[in-house]
Each structure stands twice: as structure tokens, then as C-alpha cells.
Amino acid sequence: MTETPFPTSFLWGSATAAFQIEGAHDQDGRTPSIWDTFARVPGAVLDGDTGDVACDHYHRVEEDVDLMASLNLDAYRFSTSWARVRPDGGEPNQRGVDFYARLVDTLLDRGITPWVTLYHWDLPQVLEDAGGWTNRDTAHRFADYALTLHDALGDRVPYWTTLNEPWCSAFLGYTGGQHAPGRQEGVAGLVAAHHLMLGHGLVVDELRRRGVDGREGGQVGITLNLTVPEPFDPTEPADVSASHRVEHLFNRVFLDPILRGSYAEEIHELTEGLCWRGHPWQSAIRDGDLALIGAPIDVLGVNYYHGDAASGRPHRDADLLGSRIRHPSRETTSPYPGGEAITFPRRGLPVTGLDWEVQPEGLTDLLVALNDDYDLPAVYVTENGAAYPDVVADDGTVDDPERLAFVAGHLRAVHAAIEKGVDVRGYFVWSLLDNFEWAYGYDQRFGIVHVDYETQQRTPKSSALWYSRVAAEGIL
């Protein structure tokens, strides 16, 4: 295949999340997050797995950063634990702050750029007990937490992401119940989504005041998981309608407020009459909110794993019962408030271990459509990867040709988007390590590095060795 060179400044990285890898769930002052609590609910996580130990990264920072350096990573995108930095949502915990300071210093010593994500779903349980993201005050507590980390790391961290995939936090957490805190309260997801974005806006505003200016002072942005929805059957009006609902209540419910400072009129039409605790959900939107939320950002992170074939009809065909929004072992509801929209793998496409179809051209389509529809800041693909049932050979090696092909195909899709004028400046493969995969526990492996959870031994898979070469040469 013809060699594909990327721009010399293109950033090659990998990504993780605190709850998924750190472990040390009750050490050095850390208190429970909503995921500690949710993982202990019967049926919430496959096999009753918890994140108590995970990859034990908390005790293995030096080893793991050395591993990153050996893989020629330019950058490492990691999240910080709110429950570690401000336990119970209260005062700063110096031991928790010191952990991240040590991680950042170790990365810099190895020539790896640290990229901080402030929130990857692990709200302190005490704040959830007070209403969580349906409580407006949580957005202000989020800003307090963010500034604690900026106080400690602002002189050394050039990239700050406020939220990772707020759609999951809001709609899987508060509407459908597939994720922590497991609430199935319909319209609550819309209220939570608005407060999440308000928290984002408050942090952007504060960091700007502190000199995060998009240049030498650092850059700030947000990461959204986005999809390419299509009707499962374009001739069925219910499927066309469901595709429209997914586009707006998955993509545009966040894109428009953040990039345009307003909710699309279609959002109000789709949610007309929906109330939260006796009031229209829009009562959560106060004067000045959208100005904060829509303030310019420096970076838009795009997470992409698959497109969506949407349907608004009940299906009896067993081949269609692979909805990607279902919970693996617990009864849940649709995460789309106000009406059903079910997403299925497309027939005829290969799928990953999670029944997510492999559709790299969808990433090109998504990036080009974003570029056509919005005035974008710099774009980074901040997550992309696949779960497959890896096998450890007798000699200890792990050959994962399907994952390698998945990443290669999506990198070609990124390159195609660049050639079409999209300002994509980097790519982060998900994930560096096999880890605690949320509701799937340890059943699904996304890592380019295999983790033996009994011994915590790390073994780079063939995809990692290949990605290391690509990152070093900048050529696919």
C-alpha cells in the first residue's frame, strides 16, 4: 500500500482515564466516586468487577511512562480523579494533587506532552448524593476542582480538556441508566447535559483569566463523542425520524451550545413539553449560561468508534438485537429523552468485540461535515480504537491484527479528512492499556498493551509495536 505521510507537526498519542487504570481506590485520601458506588450495584458491571485495583497505575507511574516512551508517543492524554484531588467534593487533597504532579513531571522528563482531561465520568459520590449533575451547584464545584489542578500544574501542562464525552455522563448516567450513577429519569439527562456544559464554560472562563490564551499560556477545549447517524431503513419514516433524533440529541445538543452559543431550534422541538420536576427542562438555562458555554475554545476533541444505524421501530429479528446503547446485564431504558431511538450495527460490515461496526470512512465523513457546518478550532481525534478478544501466545506475545487494521484504517480516514481541508492536528489511540471497561468490567480489552490483571504485567501487542513505528516516522 502507498505510504501516507502526515504533517510533521502531527501529534501522536494514546489515552486513558483515571478510574479505568489507577486503582488505589481508597488510598492517600481518595474517597468514592459514582463509579465506585455503581460498580457495587448487583448487575451493574459484568462479573461484578470493580475498579478497586484496575491496572494499578497509581503505583506504576514510572513503569507506565517508560512504556509510553518506548512506544514513541508524543503525548499522553489522561484524566484526573476529582475524588482524589478534592475528596468528597471538598477541600484540596495534597496527596492526590502530588500524584498528578509526579505523573506530569515524569512525562516531561521522558519528552512526552501531558494532556489533562479534568472530567472522565467519576463524580465524587457525595456530590451525586446532593443531586449530581442535575444540581446546578455541581458545575461550580467542578470549577473549584479544575482550578486546584491548574494551580499545581498550569505551568507545565499545555492542553486542558474540561469534559470527556458529556453525552455519556448525561444521557447514559441520568436518562438511560447504563452508566453511573445509573439513574433512569428521562428528562434529567437534558438538565445534566446543560449543567455539564455550564461547568465547561465556567472552567474556560476561569482559565482565560489565568492566561490560558491558546498559545504559550496553554490551550483549553472539550472532547465530544460524535457519531454519523443514518436511518436503518431509509424508506421507513420511523427510522428517518430516529436518525434525526440521534443527530440532534447526540451530536448537536453539545456542538451548537459550545460552538455557536445556542441550542438548535430542533432541540426545543424534539423536547417540547418535557419537564423536570414540574418545570420545562429549559428552566435550567439561565441568563448568561450560553455566553459562558459558547465562549471560544482552542481545541475540539473528537472521539469516534462507529457510526449509527438508527431505528424508531420495535424489532423482533434476532439479528437486530445488538443495540449499542443497551446495558450488558441490567435492565435499562433509551438514553434519548422524549422518544425511542435505537441504534444497531449495520448489516454487512465487520464488527468488533462489542458489536460496533468497523466504519472508518464514517470518521472522514464526520470530520468533513463538522468542518462544513461549524467554525472549528483545531481538531484532535482524542479517542479511537477497538475491543477484540486477544489471545496470549505460548511465548507471551499478543498478536492483534484486527485492532492494527482498525487503527490503520481510521488513520487513513483522518488523513483523508486533512486532505479535504479539516485542521486535524493529532490522534490518540484508545487505549494505552487494557483496563476496566465501565459496565463491561474487564471483559473487553481496548488496549494496545496487554495487561495481565493477576500479575499486572504489561505486554505491548503487535498493534502497539506497529503504532510505535508510525508515531516515530509520521508515515502510515
Side-chain angles (χ1 to χ4, degrees):
M1 191 170 291
T2 304
E3 288 188 341
T4 304
F6 281 75
T8 55
S9 60
F10 195 81
L11 200 66
W12 299 92
S14 190
T16 64
F19 188 78
Q20 293 184 269
I21 69 165
E22 284 181 3
H25 73 291
D26 59 357
Q27 295 183 27
D28 293 338
R30 185 188 181 279
T31 55
S33 75
I34 55 176
W35 271 96
D36 294 284
T37 301
F38 187 67
R40 287 167 168 77
V41 174
V45 175
L46 281 180
D47 302 323
D49 292 335
T50 71
D52 291 0
V53 177
C55 303
D56 197 32
H57 172 70
Y58 190 79
H59 300 111
R60 299 170 185 269
V61 166
E62 294 278 346
E63 173 188 352
D64 287 342
V65 176
D66 283 345
L67 178 60
M68 297 174 212
S70 74
L71 296 178
N72 299 311
L73 298 185
D74 296 329
Y76 175 52
R77 176 178 173 258
F78 61 96
S79 76
T80 50
S81 167
W82 191 342
R84 198 180 295 285
V85 172
R86 277 184 172 254
D88 292 332
E91 294 301 310
N93 171 33
Q94 192 59 48
R95 289 172 294 176
V97 174
D98 288 347
F99 168 71
Y100 295 110
R102 180 162 58 91
L103 171 57
V104 166
D105 290 343
T106 305
L107 289 166
L108 293 172
D109 286 346
R110 306 297 195 277
I112 300 169
T113 299
W115 185 306
V116 166
T117 297
L118 291 164
Y119 187 70
H120 198 133
W121 308 354
D122 48 356
L123 182 71
Q125 180 61 42
V126 165
L127 295 182
E128 174 57 32
D129 293 342
W133 287 108
T134 60
N135 182 348
R136 185 180 177 89
D137 185 63
T138 300
H140 294 276
R141 301 292 72 76
F142 176 61
D144 294 341
Y145 151 67
L147 295 184
T148 296
L149 281 165
H150 192 262
D151 286 341
L153 308 177
D155 61 334
R156 310 194 296 291
V157 172
Y159 295 98
W160 295 84
T161 294
T162 55
L163 308 173
N164 179 79
E165 299 185 355
W167 185 86
C168 296
S169 297
F171 295 108
L172 296 183
Y174 290 86
T175 293
Q178 290 85 357
H179 281 190
R183 288 162 62 176
Q184 299 176 28
E185 300 178 23
V187 187
L190 288 163
V191 176
H194 182 74
H195 290 156
L196 280 154
M197 286 187 283
L198 175 61
H200 156 81
L202 290 167
V203 171
V204 171
D205 184 59
E206 291 288 353
L207 292 187
R208 294 294 191 221
R209 296 173 192 273
R210 288 170 168 236
V212 177
D213 59 1
R215 299 181 296 278
E216 289 79 6
Q219 301 185 46
V220 63
I222 192 170
T223 281
L224 305 177
N225 54 317
L226 300 170
T227 188
V228 182
E230 297 173 2
F232 187 82
D233 182 347
T235 68
E236 285 285 347
D239 291 0
V240 174
S241 177
S243 177
H244 177 76
R245 178 175 292 278
V246 172
E247 169 64 25
H248 285 83
L249 290 176
F250 198 110
N251 290 348
R252 292 190 62 184
V253 68
F254 296 103
L255 285 168
D256 284 7
I258 291 163
L259 297 178
R260 292 178 176 160
S262 63
Y263 285 100
E265 185 59 36
E266 291 93 336
I267 295 293
H268 297 294
E269 292 173 357
L270 288 168
T271 62
E272 184 177 2
L274 296 184
C275 293
W276 168 245
R277 296 186 174 174
H279 302 281
W281 77 265
Q282 291 93 336
S283 299
I285 307 169
R286 298 187 185 175
D287 290 346
D289 284 3
L290 288 168
L292 279 170
I293 293 168
I297 55 176
D298 307 309
V299 171
L300 175 65
V302 173
N303 291 358
Y304 175 85
Y305 291 92
H306 55 74
D308 278 305
S311 177
R313 299 170 293 135
H315 289 282
R316 298 184 181 277
D317 187 336
D319 291 338
L320 302 183
L321 297 179
S323 175
R324 287 181 296 262
I325 60 172
R326 78 187 190 284
H327 189 278
S329 58
R330 181 169 165 268
E331 194 67 29
T332 55
T333 60
S334 170
Y336 298 100
E340 290 297 323
I342 304 171
T343 56
F344 298 107
R346 292 171 175 82
R347 285 177 167 174
L349 290 178
V351 296
T352 70
L354 281 172
D355 286 333
W356 295 354
E357 77 275 10
V358 180
Q359 190 194 12
E361 67 276 8
L363 179 54
T364 306
D365 294 344
L366 172 63
L367 293 170
V368 171
L370 288 172
N371 198 50
D372 289 345
D373 292 346
Y374 295 93
D375 183 13
L376 294 179
V379 175
Y380 292 79
V381 175
T382 39
E383 286 183 28
N384 174 248
Y388 287 106
D390 300 320
V391 176
V392 180
D394 291 342
D395 63 358
T397 61
V398 181
D399 187 25
D400 59 339
E402 290 177 307
R403 182 176 294 104
L404 192 159
F406 182 99
V407 174
H410 286 79
L411 280 170
R412 291 189 186 95
V414 171
H415 192 273
I418 294 172
E419 289 190 318
K420 293 182 178 183
V422 187
D423 184 17
V424 187
R425 299 187 185 181
Y427 174 93
F428 292 76
V429 64
W430 183 270
S431 176
L432 177 69
L433 304 171
D434 290 334
N435 54 47
F436 178 88
E437 186 47 43
W438 308 113
Y440 292 92
Y442 301 104
D443 183 67
Q444 296 291 330
R445 293 179 177 267
F446 273 87
I448 58 172
V449 174
H450 181 272
V451 177
D452 182 321
Y453 297 119
E454 295 292 328
T455 66
Q456 293 296 337
Q457 179 176 342
R458 277 80 158 133
T459 303
K461 304 174 189 178
S462 58
S463 60
L465 303 177
W466 169 84
Y467 187 69
S468 173
R469 177 193 62 77
V470 172
E473 299 176 358
I475 298 174
L476 184 61

